[in-house]
Amino acid sequence: MANNQNTQKIEQFLFRRGGKYTVIAGSICIIHLIYLFFFYKIGLLAMSIYNIFCISGYFFFLAEAYKGNRIKDFSYYILFEIPLHSILCTIFVGYEYNFMLLLITAISIVFYFGLFLDCFKRPIFFSSIVAIIYYILLIGCKHYLSFHTPLYTGFKNANSYSDFFGYFNLSVAIIGITFFDILLAIEYGYIKNKLVSENSKLDNYATYDPLTNLLNRRSADEKLNQLFDAHYHDEDAFSVIMCDIDKFKLVNDTYGHDAGDYVLKEVAWILKDTVRDEDIVSRWGGEEFLIIVNNNKANAAILAERIRAQVEAHTYKYQNLELRVTITLGVSSFHANSDINSLIKSADQKLYRGKENGRNQVVA
């Protein structure tokens, strides 16, 4: 439980507006501050000035990312700045101090941004092209320094700093690749969970009536067809009860649609509470409900009468009003070799016969 809560907190921070980009910009900014300090200490003024400009850019995008602005511009800035920084450092001090390893980290970054930020119209293709360009630059720098000496020759004399840069750049590369791999995994999991949640909501909307939380008509049709396939040779295998709230239009016209919705929800609750677990209650449409009873017509008629009595006896208090609600029900049983349409039609005809005979009754 605690791990799930911690994961949710991390996701909430990373995937809120600009959250993960704030972390990325802040981390790279700290790394450049470290470079600035050590380049200044060894007297490499050109790279010190370059890092000042880099830090200014990252501070700007850090502020923008926190507000959720200019995210795509920030990604382009990173994808250009990191390779340029790697190349310049390598040309100035030499290949053996692992500055070019940062290009490998940039390859992880370009695929992450390409996939999750829509930097490119064809993310896999263009991310691969950029990654190849980075690789060519890495080989090119290696080849260049095979024939040329580094521009800054005083670096070899600063033994402690040269050792530091070798290990530091290696660590930055490994941590950077690991960080973006973890971020990729977290984001994939986040998107997957979000899709599962959204699909669950869509399934719920497709299956249940949003007002009463009963099965909707389409779902009830599916259940009836399943029963038909299982029992189309069985006599009296299952029954249906068609229910209709009496004078429901009068409730809407007199007290408003909110009152009508209240009555529908109360009646739906009574139906659900009265039937057995194996029976199915659905909202058929408007103020009509359909109950599928896994029993013969005689038992279905007994259940229908119990429902009618419960609906009539229930107290309906809407705001300061006490409403009187009754229901009329028609009961029909499935006959071998008949079909679903005739079963529904029979229950519907009995329902309207009950309406014509004075309402608030069961016709079986």
Side-chain angles (χ1 to χ4, degrees):
M1 180 66 75
N3 289 335
N4 288 337
Q5 289 176 346
N6 291 333
T7 301
Q8 288 175 356
K9 287 179 181 178
I10 292 170
E11 289 179 349
Q12 286 171 3
F13 172 73
L14 288 176
F15 302 116
R16 70 171 174 81
R17 185 178 60 176
K20 57 186 173 183
Y21 302 108
T22 304
V23 174
I24 295 169
S27 301
I28 298 177
C29 197
I30 291 170
I31 292 169
H32 276 287
L33 282 168
I34 295 171
Y35 282 133
L36 171 62
F37 173 78
F38 283 99
F39 282 135
Y40 176 78
K41 291 287 286 185
I42 65 174
L44 186 48
L45 185 61
M47 290 308 301
S48 298
I49 294 171
Y50 173 80
N51 274 275
I52 289 173
F53 280 109
C54 289
I55 291 166
S56 301
Y58 282 113
F59 267 118
F60 169 77
F61 283 113
L62 181 62
E64 291 294 303
Y66 185 77
K67 296 182 287 187
N69 299 331
R70 305 178 72 97
I71 300 298
K72 191 170 285 190
D73 293 338
F74 169 56
S75 68
Y76 292 140
Y77 179 75
I78 289 179
L79 297 179
F80 175 78
E81 188 278 321
I82 291 178
L84 181 60
H85 184 271
S86 302
I87 292 168
L88 288 175
C89 288
T90 303
I91 291 173
F92 269 103
V93 302
Y95 192 87
E96 62 269 31
Y97 301 107
N98 293 332
F99 283 101
M100 289 307 294
L101 289 179
L102 303 179
L103 270 175
I104 300 175
T105 305
I107 291 173
S108 294
I109 296 173
V110 74
F111 275 102
Y112 175 78
F113 282 164
L115 289 171
F116 291 107
L117 199 59
D118 296 328
C119 291
F120 313 115
K121 290 183 179 179
R122 296 167 63 188
I124 299 296
F125 174 77
F126 283 104
S127 296
S128 300
I129 294 297
V130 175
I132 292 169
I133 292 171
Y134 287 170
Y135 179 73
I136 292 170
L137 289 173
L138 190 150
I139 299 300
C141 276
K142 175 70 173 177
H143 184 72
Y144 172 83
L145 289 168
S146 299
F147 299 97
H148 300 83
T149 57
L151 297 179
Y152 182 71
T153 56
F155 192 65
K156 288 185 181 294
N157 298 325
N159 290 326
S160 60
Y161 294 127
S162 62
D163 291 340
F164 163 78
F165 275 119
Y167 289 114
F168 181 73
N169 289 328
L170 178 62
S171 300
V172 168
I174 293 172
I175 293 170
I177 292 169
T178 304
F179 172 79
F180 279 96
D181 286 345
I182 291 172
L183 196 61
L184 185 69
I186 291 173
E187 187 137 5
Y188 173 77
Y190 176 77
I191 292 172
K192 183 180 178 181
N193 291 336
K194 196 171 181 180
L195 284 173
V196 169
S197 177
E198 292 299 322
N199 286 335
S200 178
K201 288 179 182 178
L202 289 173
D203 287 341
N204 192 65
Y205 290 144
T207 305
Y208 294 94
D209 171 61
L211 178 65
T212 61
N213 205 33
L214 299 176
L215 289 178
N216 58 27
R217 182 166 182 163
R218 185 184 66 82
S219 300
D221 269 330
E222 290 178 358
K223 298 290 185 184
L224 282 169
N225 283 309
Q226 289 171 8
L227 284 170
F228 174 79
D229 291 339
H231 301 289
Y232 68 97
H233 283 313
D234 300 335
E235 189 72 23
D236 223 17
F238 64 94
S239 307
V240 297
I241 304 172
M242 186 70 76
C243 319
D244 187 271
I245 300 173
D246 297 329
K247 298 183 179 179
F248 182 74
K249 186 175 183 300
L250 185 61
V251 175
N252 278 332
D253 292 344
T254 306
Y255 306 109
H257 288 282
D258 287 344
D261 288 347
Y262 164 77
V263 170
L264 285 170
K265 287 189 283 188
E266 289 293 295
V267 171
W269 176 81
I270 293 169
L271 297 179
K272 192 72 177 173
D273 188 59
T274 307
V275 302
R276 303 170 304 168
D277 290 340
E278 60 265 33
D279 298 328
I280 298 166
V281 183
S282 67
R283 186 179 179 190
W284 196 245
E287 67 272 24
E288 280 191 328
F289 300 90
L290 181 76
I291 304 170
I292 304 171
V293 184
N294 284 290
N295 216 319
N296 58 38
K297 185 164 69 173
N299 286 308
I302 293 170
L303 175 62
E305 176 56 33
R306 192 183 311 133
I307 290 170
R308 186 206 63 76
Q310 294 276 27
V311 170
E312 184 180 24
H314 185 71
T315 302
Y316 301 85
K317 287 187 176 180
Y318 176 72
Q319 296 179 352
N320 296 323
L321 302 169
E322 188 168 317
L323 308 177
R324 182 176 182 271
V325 177
T326 61
I327 194 169
T328 303
L329 308 96
V331 183
S332 183
S333 183
F334 179 74
H335 296 290
N337 301 317
S338 64
D339 56 60
I340 297 300
N341 289 333
S342 61
L343 175 67
I344 299 296
K345 186 176 180 181
S346 173
D348 212 33
Q349 289 172 342
K350 292 172 181 177
L351 166 66
Y352 280 98
R353 195 185 310 155
K355 291 280 189 183
E356 292 170 356
N357 291 337
R359 301 183 178 87
N360 190 25
Q361 57 187 270
V362 175
V363 179

